[in-house]
Amino acid sequence: MNWDWDYAIDSLPLLFQGIVVTVELTVLGALLAYALGLVLALVRQVRVPVLSQLVYLFVEFIRSTPLLIQVFAFYYLLQPALGLRLSPFVTGFVMLGIHYATYTSEVYRAGIDAVPKGQWEAARALSLPRGRVWTGVILPQAVPRVLPSLGNYTISMFKETPLLLAIGVLDVLNRAQEAASETFRYVEPVTLAGVFFLLVSYPASILVRKLERRAGTV
Amino acid sequence: MDSHQPLSDAQAGTATADREMIRFDKVVKRFGDNVVLNELDFTVSPGEFVTLIGPSGSGKTTILRLLMTLEKVDGGTIQVDGEYLSHMERGGKLVPADEKHLRKVRRHIGMVFQQFNLFPNMKVLQNITEAPMRVLGKSRAEAEERGRELLEMVGLSEKVDAHPSQLSGGQQQRVAIARALAMEPDVLLLDEVTSALDPELVAGVLAVLKDIATSTEITFLCVTHEMQFAKDVSDRVIMFDHGQVVEEAVPEKLFTSPEHERTREFLHAVIDREV
């Protein structure tokens, strides 16, 4: 096996397009997962009748099936059935976001449960309105605690973007495949794509560990 | 405290010398099979300082938690300044209180907890101004002015911008007292407020409370193991055991010549421990 530098450099522009897509998918997917996860957690925590049970079933269903199958089913079965036509990119980050929201909702739940009971009681003793108890007392204590866990899920999400090839999203690894399919030389583009994931994931996980040490919990 | 006001004009109009600030009528509270309060009756007059003593598990803290509506009664009724707390009147009948009713009555009651329970994500001053702004609708300027006054009263003027985690236990508890007073309560519940403190910090907190008790018309219901404090500030001491009143008397009498053997045993045990 030999390494061809010229070929590696030639494949960089195509890889770069893929990198942009990977980063966009991760950022948009993560934002959706953070927001939707919080909503799911609150619906369950506040015990909204019926809705709370539905959310429970939804979370269990999503968590027990592979993301690849969900993406596939959503794109090729559910969208036509609903008359939707979302692009592969939009489908990709929405599915990443929904899938990971079921994990982040559990993370938020753990964070909320970790707020001491006395905080609820003090808020109640002061007659604070229920909404304000959440936004002023509980969440400002729960969310910082769970930032490391959210960070870990963001890294997982980042590394899972290649499976969106199933619906034709060209992230960095899929771009590498594409480059290789023309020349049948896989080593350079695929290696470079791997190096890219490593260069992002490793510093990110160091950052998460720092956050963990600062939060000192969960 | 000059801002201290009666519940409402209508009730103030009917106020008489024997008006009751707190009334428990055959109150029952169970946790599972364990009956904590067994048809408990007692009353507290406006402005009175009443201390509840008794062995742990005798239901003292439960009484405070029922008043703060942190627990629900399993039987009987509780009234605060003539208004039902655990129940409300609807169509001439008493029905269990809903959340809205609870909020209304609860507003006249404040509580200081054993573990302080300050909000760690807020600075000291915000801990105090949060509820007056959100619940009483005070402006920020108004709430902060009052907050600074209260901090001065508890001797912590210089800690306005500190975070709770930067304070000692005694300081945190004094902030918690200021926070409760900022809501202008008619009734203040003190739940073993010095039990979690290092011994050398207890005196400072008790001095602040004594000061407030003598300078305001707030009605106090206090659970404590500080017998000397109870003796100093209480108008009346009630001895509990097994969810029932064993005896009640002015402190001079109860601490020196209790009528019941159970009270004598308890006081002996507590005072021996203090020495």
Side-chain angles (χ1 to χ4, degrees):
Chain A
M1 183 154 311
N2 47 11
W3 178 270
D4 181 344
W5 276 110
D6 289 340
Y7 176 56
I9 288 164
D10 280 350
S11 59
L12 279 178
L14 206 56
L15 282 176
F16 183 73
Q17 289 177 28
I19 287 174
V20 172
V21 172
T22 297
V23 170
E24 285 173 346
L25 284 170
T26 308
V27 169
L28 293 171
L31 290 178
L32 182 61
Y34 299 160
L36 182 62
L38 184 58
V39 172
L40 296 179
L42 288 178
V43 168
R44 289 197 57 196
Q45 208 80 27
V46 176
R47 299 205 185 86
V48 185
V50 186
L51 196 57
S52 178
Q53 283 83 347
L54 288 177
V55 164
Y56 171 76
L57 289 176
F58 177 76
V59 167
E60 290 305 308
F61 174 73
I62 297 284
R63 280 160 63 101
S64 343
T65 52
L67 176 57
L68 180 60
I69 293 176
Q70 290 163 13
V71 170
F72 220 72
F74 183 67
Y75 191 69
Y76 289 111
L77 300 176
L78 203 55
Q79 282 200 34
L82 295 174
L84 279 172
R85 287 189 102 168
L86 301 177
S87 71
F89 177 82
V90 172
T91 305
F93 87 74
V94 167
M95 286 313 290
L96 274 177
I98 291 176
H99 187 83
Y100 276 90
T102 63
Y103 292 98
T104 57
S105 77
E106 292 296 301
V107 167
Y108 285 120
R109 200 173 59 90
I112 291 165
D113 285 347
V115 175
K117 209 169 111 240
Q119 293 289 307
W120 291 96
E121 294 184 346
R124 198 173 162 87
L126 293 168
S127 289
L128 287 180
R130 199 148 89 151
R132 183 56 193 165
V133 176
W134 282 105
T135 59
V137 178
I138 304 302
L139 292 179
Q141 295 180 56
V143 172
R145 253 181 250 256
V146 302
L147 284 181
S149 302
L150 293 181
N152 277 326
Y153 278 119
T154 310
I155 295 171
S156 304
M157 199 186 300
F158 168 70
K159 291 185 295 183
E160 282 213 78
T161 57
L163 64 76
L164 296 175
L165 178 63
I167 54 169
V169 180
L170 293 174
D171 83 321
V172 61
L173 182 63
N174 300 333
R175 282 291 187 186
Q177 295 267 12
E178 188 186 80
S181 64
E182 289 165 15
T183 57
F184 300 102
R185 289 192 60 97
Y186 285 87
V187 179
E188 292 84 355
V190 172
T191 306
L192 288 175
V195 167
F196 163 71
F197 277 108
L198 186 68
L199 284 180
V200 176
S201 293
Y202 186 62
S205 65
I206 291 176
L207 188 77
V208 166
R209 236 167 289 152
K210 269 197 179 146
L211 272 177
E212 267 167 3
R213 234 170 289 142
R214 228 181 53 184
T217 40
V218 184
Chain B
M1 201 163 54
D2 54 3
S3 53
H4 185 71
Q5 283 164 356
L7 283 186
S8 72
D9 292 337
Q11 283 157 338
T14 62
T16 56
D18 58 351
R19 186 175 130 225
E20 286 158 350
M21 187 53 92
I22 298 170
R23 178 180 190 93
F24 273 54
D25 254 323
K26 295 198 166 24
V27 171
V28 177
K29 179 65 192 174
R30 296 183 210 96
F31 291 109
D33 289 338
N34 183 18
V35 182
V36 182
L37 300 181
N38 187 12
E39 302 210 337
L40 176 68
D41 295 318
F42 81 97
T43 60
V44 178
S45 306
E48 206 180 3
F49 194 116
V50 173
T51 300
L52 311 179
I53 63 169
S56 53
S58 61
K60 299 162 299 183
T61 288
T62 304
I63 291 169
L64 302 191
R65 292 177 60 83
L66 285 170
L67 275 164
M68 200 63 258
T69 72
L70 300 174
E71 308 282 354
K72 287 199 170 82
V73 293
D74 293 315
T77 58
I78 300 174
Q79 290 174 59
V80 175
D81 204 7
E83 220 175 333
Y84 283 102
L85 175 68
S86 47
H87 296 72
M88 54 187 187
E89 284 169 291
R90 187 176 277 167
K93 281 206 309 199
L94 276 186
V95 295
D98 61 12
E99 189 58 30
K100 198 177 144 210
H101 179 81
L102 288 179
R103 297 184 63 81
K104 196 175 110 213
V105 186
R106 191 163 58 205
R107 196 172 292 181
H108 304 289
I109 305 172
M111 185 161 181
V112 182
F113 298 87
Q114 184 175 352
Q115 299 294 340
F116 335 131
N117 297 344
L118 293 181
F119 304 131
N121 55 309
M122 298 178 190
K123 288 182 175 179
V124 163
L125 188 61
Q126 200 196 344
N127 259 282
I128 299 172
T129 58
E130 178 69 17
M133 284 168 63
R134 305 273 170 181
V135 183
L136 302 181
K138 287 193 177 185
S139 70
R140 176 177 296 277
E142 225 181 329
E144 289 192 347
E145 193 193 329
R146 182 71 185 134
R148 285 173 203 278
E149 275 173 32
L150 287 166
L151 278 175
E152 196 184 328
M153 193 168 114
V154 299
L156 290 173
S157 291
E158 77 283 16
K159 299 292 185 188
V160 168
D161 288 319
H163 282 281
S165 58
Q166 297 166 318
L167 304 182
S168 72
Q171 291 171 331
Q172 288 190 50
Q173 193 60 297
R174 283 186 276 157
V175 173
I177 292 166
R179 178 173 73 171
L181 289 176
M183 287 298 284
E184 297 161 14
D186 295 296
V187 177
L188 193 55
L189 308 172
L190 307 176
D191 185 14
E192 303 197 23
V193 296
T194 55
S195 299
L197 297 179
D198 290 336
E200 75 270 22
L201 302 176
V202 169
V205 170
L206 294 182
V208 163
L209 285 172
K210 194 172 169 181
D211 204 36
I212 297 163
T214 48
S215 63
T216 68
E217 288 166 19
I218 297 176
T219 305
F220 280 86
L221 201 53
C222 170
V223 171
T224 185
H225 297 294
E226 296 291 333
M227 293 303 152
Q228 189 57 48
F229 173 70
K231 223 183 268 185
D232 286 351
V233 297
S234 305
D235 297 309
R236 184 154 55 106
V237 179
I238 307 181
M239 166 76 194
F240 280 91
D241 199 15
H242 296 107
Q244 284 282 10
V245 174
V246 174
E247 68 175 297
E248 54 182 301
V250 293
E252 299 79 39
K253 172 154 188 335
L254 193 119
F255 285 114
T256 51
S257 54
E259 281 177 13
H260 286 258
E261 184 54 32
R262 189 70 196 88
T263 313
R264 262 192 293 275
E265 280 170 21
F266 173 75
L267 289 175
H268 264 293
V270 175
I271 289 161
D272 283 349
R273 200 189 55 194
E274 276 179 357
V275 174

